[in-house]
Amino acid sequence: MSDTSGWGPQPGTHGWHQHHNPHGWYPNPWGPPPPPPPKPGVIPLAPLGVDQILGGAFATMRRYAKPLFGPALAAYAVLAVVMVAAFGIAYATTRDDVDALGAQATFSWEHGGPILIAFGSLWALGALGALAVNSFVQATCAATLHEAVLGRPTTFRAVCRRAWSRTPAVAAVTLLLAFVLMLPVGAFALFLFSFVAMLLTQSLIPIGLVFLLLLVVIPLAAWLYVLFAFAPAAAVLETAGPLTALRRSVRLVRGAWWRTFGISLLAGVIVTIASLVFQLPLQFTAPEPRPADPNTSASTVLLDQLRSQSGLYALVGLLGTLLTQLIAAVFLPLVTALLYIDRRIRTEGLAHTLHTAA
């Protein structure tokens, strides 16, 4: 059986579970209680509740830690090495311009232009690298979940091979989702700009219009984001192209938008709480910088503050931040992919196909 067997669209099976009951796990008021649904992997092969979706994500992280976190760690490590090397090259090529610009009282395009070009290119490289890495990590989550649902073992190499082949499709979908998220960000930036304009002109019209724009854009962005949320999972589990994956997501989310939104929001809240549980104790135990002397230069004060944040405290804080970011990067796509599987179980009878495959 191929890796993709049983995961493509199931034509003619819409509402299958509502008319057939081959395993007897749906309620039967006239007989003995039905047996539990089969559970070859991390979730039962039946419509999933919130506890089963979240529990399935945690179980996948626990049982498949190596093929799940290994590729993510490797991808982020490669991105970090590339960005550090690119930063070193950018600084080395513009060092003389940086020194010359720092010695001038006013900005000069003669020295500022090369700096902007070099570090603008660095930012573009970082954005493309982040897109590729995040898309690859999302693909590894779906590829690992493919085996976790069926209860089959998998390896680091197998997950990487399958995820890499689907990364371009996931990246195309991620670009669209990033554009959707940029709508409220851009509207908020416009709101701040209009607020400054109001302070300067004493006019309430600009900020009032932008506030109305925010009220429209934020719900629209949330609606679109949830509507396309299943596209990365469809791109991997169904080997669908970007446009096909987007259409599949819209079809599956239809009729379950609020449920998808609520469970995704709950997963985000869990990640936020876990991050705060780690970061708040560090905030309270942060070492105090030495009192600043009024006669001390600003650069010396800044250096003292950096030194006070270095050492073991900085190492623990950095490792903790990386760990929480890694968990978030894996946990949220797993929850979304499980929601995708749940919708297919409910609307396409995927449970029977998965039970046969397992």
Side-chain angles (χ1 to χ4, degrees), residues 69 86 88 103 109 136 172 174 180 212 215 222 242 306 314 337 341:
F69 290 103
W109 280 107
F136 175 73
T174 304
V180 170
L212 293 176
L215 294 180
L306 292 176
I341 294 172

Side-chain angles (χ1 to χ4, degrees), residues 27 29 49 72 80 89 101 110 118 151 173 190-191 243 253 274 287 290 298 305 310-311 329-330 333 337 343 348 358:
I89 294 173
L101 192 63
E110 179 183 358
V173 171
L190 188 60
F191 177 79
L243 295 179
V253 172
R290 292 185 302 178
Q305 290 179 346
S310 62
V330 169
R343 286 301 298 160
E348 298 180 353

Side-chain angles (χ1 to χ4, degrees), residues 86-119:
F87 178 83
I89 294 173
Y91 180 74
T93 56
T94 60
R95 184 173 181 177
D96 294 338
D97 294 304
V98 171
D99 294 339
L101 192 63
Q104 295 178 355
T106 58
F107 179 82
S108 170
W109 280 107
E110 179 183 358
H111 300 292
I115 296 174
L116 293 176
I117 292 174
F119 287 94

Side-chain angles (χ1 to χ4, degrees), residues 265-328:
L265 182 62
L266 178 60
V269 170
I270 291 174
V271 169
T272 302
I273 292 175
S275 177
L276 291 176
V277 166
F278 178 82
Q279 292 180 3
L280 286 180
L282 284 179
Q283 295 292 331
F284 288 114
T285 59
E288 292 289 339
R290 292 185 302 178
D293 187 346
N295 298 323
T296 306
S297 64
S299 59
T300 304
V301 172
L302 178 60
L303 184 60
D304 289 340
Q305 290 179 346
L306 292 176
R307 287 173 178 171
S308 67
Q309 302 292 325
S310 62
L312 180 62
Y313 170 81
L315 180 61
V316 172
L318 178 61
L319 291 178
T321 301
L322 292 177
L323 179 62
T324 54
Q325 294 282 344
L326 182 63
I327 292 175

